[in-house]
Amino acid sequence: MVAPKLGRIPSMRERVEDTLSAHRNQLVALLSRYAAQGNGILQPHHLLDELDAIIGDDQSLRDGPFGDILKSAQEAIVIPPFVAIAIRPRPGVWEYVRVNVHELSVDQLTVSEYLSFKEQLVDGVSNDYFTLELDFEPFNATFPRPTRSASIGNGVQFLNRHLSSNMFRNKECLEPLLEFLQTHKYKGHSLMLNDRIQTVSRLQDALAKAEDKLSRIPPETPFSEFEYTLQGLGFEKGWGDTAARVLELMHLLLDILQAPDPSTLETFLGRVPMVFNVVILSPHGYFGQANVLGLPDTGGQVVYILDQVRALENEMILRIKRQGLDISPRILIVTRLIPDAKGTTCNQRLERVSGTEHTHILRVPFRSDKGILRKWISRFDVWPYLETFAEDAASEICAELQGYPDFIIGNYSDGNLVATLLAYKLGITQCNIAHALEKTKYPDSDIYWNKFDEKYHFSCQFTADIIAMNSADFIITSTYQEIAGSKNTVGQYESHTAFTLPGLYRVVHGIDVFDPKFNIVSPGADMSIYFPYSLKEKRLTALHGSIEKMLFDPAQTDEYIGTLSDRKKPLLFSMARLDRVKNMTGLVEAYGKNSKLRELVNLVIVAGYIDVNKSKDREEIDEIEKMHALMKQYDLDGQFRWIQAQTNRARNGELYRYIADTGGAFVQPAFYEAFGLTVIEAMTCGLPTFATSHGGPAEIIEHGVSGFHIDPYHPEQAADLMADFFQKSKEDPSYWSNISDGGLQRIYDKYTWKIYSERLMTLAGVYGFWKHVSKLERRETRRYLEMFYILKFRELVQTVPLAIDNPR
């Protein structure tokens, strides 16, 4: 038998050249159609639509190598006679080719060459060969990282495998583990080890002796009864509260010292006492516990953080108790103090979070040389205030904690930048949570940044994002899509791999989605508020009167407008901020156009203000005006109810369940949603859910099993899908119940705050250790980022005007 011959995989350039040879006429016709459209950017659907237009019945071109290239193309830059294509064979992997349509020649381009060509759309042909390029790849060349797209988002597993492998091969790698355990102190008191243990061999001997002594006493014996015995061997508090727990942790360490393996290492590090004081940054918007939801820039992120800290505090208390320590943890949510607080508590410096013992909101004002800023400002306008805010916050945090925090978490672009500044100043482990990266929400907002900058200041935001991403010790996301998208869509973080802001700088290697700093940790919903409609004994029936008034009161007010003539119909329900990306007006228009859907259900939305004069938000004002116009255009009165944003979470939870009682459904129609907290809330209440296929909800929902995916770019199909669901449910009520049950099961399996908090605490331990052992601070990267921050970011911030308070 002849052995199979090994061959080299052809490059993208060679595949295009081969197709030119085999399908010359068709390819010339196709490329000419692209070029005929003139200078511009073609999106994937444009590329494939033109292909279908020229191939007719001959599918060989579409099914061949060039067809595969076009199917994985994310954009094409057309500057006749050239067409340059950005090809993404799989998540996280990119290649670039350029075809000269006149000469039928093909070039493989580097990232820099492709971006330079793209810049000609804005600047024309440039003779400037010294464009500022950002390239983080050289700093990461020797750093371990996975190569399979399926491994993206599992950073901690990869790090544990790499680290345990090094320990197994090289016993000298165990020395940093000893040093790490020796460094643990709380307010000057040693934890884990004292100075009797100075070497790995001494540690192993001491562990063997401790194991012998502990195995002779009852497992439930409290630590205080054998504390002095262990101290004499070199061990301090932190190993556990009972003999059984101390012995279990010591066995884990003995296993690591003898034969390290990834899961043992992760379990051990997750139990080492490292995190007692946590700071969470969320500067923008109105951050409060009541009367804030629905205010500008105030929505899911506030809910996420409040639920997060309650779960996190419970997990910290549990771990500290099991570690045998008598320490009260502290969590500080650091946000902006707003003197003109609009009836909220956002003008209070310190506010305890309800449902917690040790968690507070610490508010620090924005200030400049003009004094303290009194009014709310948009998240797009905060950049001139953040550096001073970070300095002031550092002083306030250290005063409140009477020391440094152990761990800091940033949220959104502004919070992540402040977390970066604080983590560097205080020398602590930093975690970033993006929630939403604006670059993916506003198409072409990088290449045409100049068009957006006066309104959104994206040049500052994208620069801050690149700095914070590369500074963080680890990044958590709610979904895989947030990092690396899907087969056909680019992830939020992946879009920062390479991009250009013409005239400012060019990012040739910005963030690598294969970096082991990425981890998927999905949140849940507060199950004391969001629980299944079927739990009758827990239902808040006392709220039904106010809910029914909100839904059916015929009066037309600033709180609700529109009427529902047939109260027997199921309710199709949506709740979100009223901005362009959330696409609430798109949902209303799709409903208005679909007679079948209008016949089957009434539509209820909770979003924004109804009175345009009450809004100060630019996008919301546009959407309010559009919503009123749609109500008139489609004559929706009798079938549609618009309720202004609601801030009572308990009533919102019961509202979901009330909608379920009607046999209704929830729909989340956003053009892009990083995660989709309302999707989780609705499913947790047992409400069948339709949600956007662009972003996180595509992972949360299993289509047809636990809900349905809808494409907001094809609203007619989405409306037909919803109509089909309600028709089937009308004919067979068990169909509705099966989708409801499927959604609940999906939540219990993957999306709870308990799972989240356990995972986050373990990650904080592992990355804290990894940072110590491998010197993950990466001084070279840090110095590079410092220079970029000082020379470029500060310069860009100067272009953002300071806000002016209205005269009091």
Side-chain angles (χ1 to χ4, degrees):
M1 180 178 175
V2 179
K5 193 173 181 180
L6 295 176
R8 181 176 64 83
I9 297 174
S11 68
M12 287 294 174
R13 179 180 63 80
E14 290 168 334
R15 289 161 72 180
V16 175
E17 286 176 334
D18 290 345
T19 307
L20 272 170
S21 300
H23 301 275
R24 194 174 187 84
N25 285 330
Q26 287 180 309
L27 203 52
V28 168
L30 176 64
L31 294 170
S32 298
R33 287 177 75 105
Y34 292 159
Q37 300 192 33
N39 289 12
I41 302 173
L42 298 182
Q43 298 302 324
H45 63 276
H46 296 139
L47 298 173
L48 292 172
D49 288 349
E50 294 293 348
L51 175 64
D52 290 338
I54 63 108
I55 59 176
D57 295 330
D58 182 4
Q59 292 291 312
S60 58
L61 184 59
R62 190 182 230 281
D63 297 336
F66 191 72
D68 291 340
I69 288 174
L70 286 188
K71 289 170 194 171
S72 58
Q74 294 304 314
E75 68 176 16
I77 308 302
V78 179
I79 303 176
F82 295 103
V83 178
I85 306 174
I87 303 156
R88 180 176 172 267
R90 60 187 174 92
V93 177
W94 293 78
E95 294 186 52
Y96 307 92
V97 294
R98 181 174 60 193
V99 182
N100 184 323
V101 179
H102 291 172
E103 298 179 5
L104 297 183
S105 59
V106 185
D107 296 314
Q108 188 105 17
L109 302 182
T110 64
V111 179
S112 183
E113 289 169 339
Y114 177 79
L115 293 176
S116 177
F117 180 71
K118 187 174 183 179
E119 287 161 9
Q120 292 180 32
L121 290 173
V122 177
D123 297 335
V125 178
S126 173
N127 294 318
D128 184 358
Y129 299 106
F130 296 98
T131 299
L132 173 61
E133 289 194 342
L134 272 191
D135 186 354
F136 290 95
E137 189 178 49
F139 300 111
N140 300 319
T142 60
F143 201 74
R145 62 196 58 233
T147 55
R148 294 174 57 244
S149 296
S151 299
I152 293 170
N154 295 312
V156 74
Q157 289 94 322
F158 176 83
L159 279 186
N160 287 329
R161 284 198 302 272
H162 173 78
L163 192 56
S164 57
S165 174
N166 276 0
M167 286 178 170
F168 188 78
R169 288 200 311 268
N170 182 1
K171 295 301 179 184
E172 288 181 8
C173 289
L174 294 170
E175 292 290 342
L177 177 58
L178 172 62
E179 293 168 15
F180 179 71
L181 294 175
Q182 289 171 325
T183 62
H184 285 292
K185 288 181 170 58
Y186 180 76
K187 294 189 174 178
H189 297 287
S190 292
L191 300 175
M192 303 302 287
L193 301 179
N194 59 41
D195 55 13
R196 292 174 186 269
I197 297 176
Q198 295 294 332
T199 65
V200 172
S201 58
R202 177 75 184 86
L203 175 60
Q204 287 177 307
D205 290 343
L207 285 168
K209 290 174 182 176
E211 180 185 29
D212 180 59
K213 292 182 182 297
L214 291 171
S215 61
R216 299 168 188 270
I217 62 176
E220 65 278 4
T221 305
F223 182 83
S224 57
E225 293 189 16
F226 53 86
E227 179 177 357
Y228 295 113
T229 302
L230 289 190
Q231 262 186 344
L233 293 172
F235 300 106
E236 295 292 335
K237 289 181 178 179
W239 292 89
D241 59 340
T242 65
R245 285 209 175 92
V246 173
L247 198 55
E248 185 180 1
L249 194 59
M250 287 184 169
H251 281 157
L252 288 171
L253 182 53
L254 279 167
D255 288 344
I256 291 167
L257 295 174
Q258 290 167 14
D261 79 82
S263 61
T264 304
L265 184 62
E266 181 175 315
T267 304
F268 175 75
L269 292 173
R271 296 188 189 180
V272 173
M274 291 187 232
V275 179
F276 307 108
N277 295 320
V278 176
V279 167
I280 295 172
L281 270 300
S282 181
H284 73 263
Y286 291 86
F287 198 106
Q289 300 181 76
N291 305 320
V292 298
L293 295 182
L295 292 175
D297 290 341
T298 309
Q301 184 171 314
V302 172
V303 175
Y304 177 108
I305 293 171
L306 289 173
D307 288 346
Q308 174 196 46
V309 295
R310 292 184 181 105
L312 198 54
E313 183 185 286
N314 289 335
E315 183 64 20
M316 290 172 72
I317 289 170
L318 179 64
R319 289 190 180 216
I320 289 168
K321 178 184 177 297
R322 288 179 174 176
Q323 287 157 354
L325 301 172
D326 184 18
I327 296 171
S328 295
R330 289 292 307 277
I331 301 175
L332 293 179
I333 303 168
V334 179
T335 188
R336 183 194 161 201
L337 186 145
I338 308 175
D340 295 344
K342 302 284 187 187
T344 72
T345 58
C346 295
N347 55 0
Q348 295 179 16
R349 176 184 174 273
L350 197 66
E351 178 186 356
R352 187 170 66 83
V353 174
S354 63
T356 71
E357 294 180 56
H358 312 291
T359 301
H360 293 80
I361 302 169
L362 174 65
R363 298 188 179 92
V364 179
F366 280 176
R367 66 178 179 88
S368 66
D369 55 7
K370 297 179 180 178
I372 289 174
L373 182 65
R374 299 191 56 81
K375 67 176 185 178
W376 166 86
I377 58 171
S378 165
R379 70 186 187 275
F380 299 119
D381 300 329
V382 300
W383 306 107
Y385 299 95
L386 295 184
E387 190 171 309
T388 305
F389 178 80
E391 288 294 321
D392 294 346
S395 301
E396 295 279 352
I397 289 165
C398 293
E400 194 62 37
L401 297 177
Q402 297 184 335
Y404 285 2
D406 305 299
F407 179 40
I408 191 162
I409 303 171
N411 292 273
Y412 189 68
S413 300
D414 55 349
N416 287 329
L417 183 68
V418 175
T420 296
L421 298 173
L422 287 173
Y424 181 54
K425 181 182 179 71
L426 304 177
I428 52 179
T429 303
Q430 175 191 350
C431 167
N432 283 5
I433 305 174
H435 296 282
L437 291 165
E438 301 291 347
K439 199 163 86 63
T440 47
K441 290 163 65 174
Y442 293 84
D444 302 327
S445 52
D446 47 7
I447 183 74
Y448 297 120
W449 67 271
N450 247 319
K451 295 180 181 178
F452 292 86
D453 225 45
E454 184 178 355
K455 184 176 182 181
Y456 295 112
H457 309 298
F458 283 151
S459 61
C460 286
Q461 185 153 7
F462 300 166
T463 305
D465 286 333
I466 281 290
I467 290 168
M469 287 174 197
N470 283 283
S471 298
D473 295 301
F474 69 101
I475 295 170
I476 65 171
T477 69
S478 299
T479 61
Y480 178 96
Q481 288 208 21
E482 207 176 323
I483 309 169
S486 63
K487 181 181 177 183
N488 299 316
T489 60
V490 179
Q492 282 197 72
Y493 280 97
E494 188 182 9
S495 74
H496 293 73
T497 302
F499 66 94
T500 181
L501 303 180
L504 292 181
Y505 59 86
R506 185 185 297 156
V507 179
V508 294
H509 291 104
I511 190 72
D512 183 353
V513 295
F514 290 96
D515 195 310
K517 69 171 62 181
F518 284 106
N519 289 275
I520 300 166
V521 186
S522 302
D526 183 343
M527 290 190 172
S528 65
I529 292 175
Y530 305 101
F531 53 84
Y533 73 97
S534 56
L535 297 181
K536 302 296 184 185
E537 70 284 356
K538 290 183 69 176
R539 294 286 299 270
L540 304 177
T541 52
L543 297 175
H544 283 197
S546 65
I547 288 173
E548 288 172 357
K549 181 178 180 182
M550 197 163 58
L551 289 170
F552 303 115
D553 183 359
Q556 304 294 286
T557 71
D558 286 348
E559 294 183 18
Y560 40 73
I561 60 171
T563 59
L564 303 178
S565 302
D566 185 353
R567 291 179 58 162
K568 294 179 182 178
K569 280 187 186 179
L571 298 178
L572 180 62
F573 175 57
S574 190
M575 179 161 54
R577 286 197 315 276
L578 196 53
D579 63 28
R580 187 189 69 80
V581 174
K582 294 297 185 185
N583 192 34
M584 297 295 272
T585 52
L587 169 64
V588 173
E589 185 163 20
Y591 175 81
K593 288 180 174 179
N594 192 297
S595 58
K596 181 67 174 175
L597 188 59
R598 293 177 66 168
E599 177 190 326
L600 287 165
V601 296
N602 292 321
L603 176 63
V604 175
I605 67 161
V606 174
Y609 289 110
I610 293 169
D611 181 356
V612 72
N613 296 314
K614 289 186 176 181
S615 179
K616 299 290 188 291
D617 185 87
R618 295 176 287 244
E619 280 195 15
E620 186 178 51
I621 289 169
D622 292 342
E623 292 297 302
I624 292 170
E625 292 172 345
K626 185 176 179 182
M627 190 74 78
H628 284 289
L630 289 170
M631 290 179 69
K632 292 176 183 175
Q633 180 181 349
Y634 293 102
D635 191 21
L636 293 178
D637 194 38
Q639 298 173 309
F640 172 65
R641 184 75 154 184
W642 176 12
I643 302 166
Q644 82 165 18
Q646 298 297 302
T647 59
N648 185 329
R649 292 182 74 207
R651 188 167 69 178
N652 286 348
E654 191 60 29
L655 178 57
Y656 282 122
R657 291 184 287 273
Y658 189 97
I659 302 292
D661 291 339
T662 73
F666 180 76
V667 56
Q668 206 277 31
F671 287 118
Y672 184 84
E673 186 65 53
F675 179 57
L677 204 52
T678 54
V679 172
I680 295 291
E681 291 170 355
M683 290 170 70
T684 305
C685 292
L687 192 55
T689 298
F690 297 81
T692 179
S693 57
H694 297 275
E699 286 177 50
I700 297 170
I701 289 173
E702 304 154 296
H703 185 72
V705 178
S706 51
F708 301 93
H709 301 152
I710 56 171
D711 186 346
Y713 293 99
H714 294 94
E716 297 86 1
Q717 294 174 17
D720 286 343
L721 182 66
M722 289 184 270
D724 181 61
F725 167 79
F726 283 111
Q727 184 63 45
K728 286 180 179 176
S729 297
K730 185 177 182 179
E731 295 167 0
D732 178 8
S734 68
Y735 182 68
W736 187 97
S737 300
N738 289 339
I739 298 298
S740 170
D741 293 344
L744 280 167
Q745 192 57 52
R746 182 70 170 167
I747 294 297
Y748 298 147
D749 289 346
K750 290 202 68 174
Y751 299 98
T752 72
W753 279 112
K754 178 154 182 59
I755 296 170
Y756 175 100
S757 58
E758 289 171 351
R759 195 73 193 135
L760 181 57
M761 286 296 291
T762 297
L763 291 175
V766 172
Y767 281 92
F769 169 65
W770 183 243
K771 180 174 184 172
H772 175 88
V773 169
S774 63
K775 309 304 180 198
L776 196 63
E777 291 165 293
R778 307 184 200 175
R779 280 191 61 204
E780 300 90 342
T781 308
R782 164 58 59 188
R783 302 301 281 177
Y784 189 63
L785 287 165
E786 274 178 27
M787 183 171 63
F788 186 55
Y789 177 89
I790 292 166
L791 297 180
K792 183 54 68 174
F793 180 73
R794 277 181 166 173
E795 173 191 301
L796 292 171
V797 166
Q798 298 299 317
T799 68
V800 183
L802 291 171
I804 299 172
D805 278 315
N806 298 322
R808 297 178 64 188

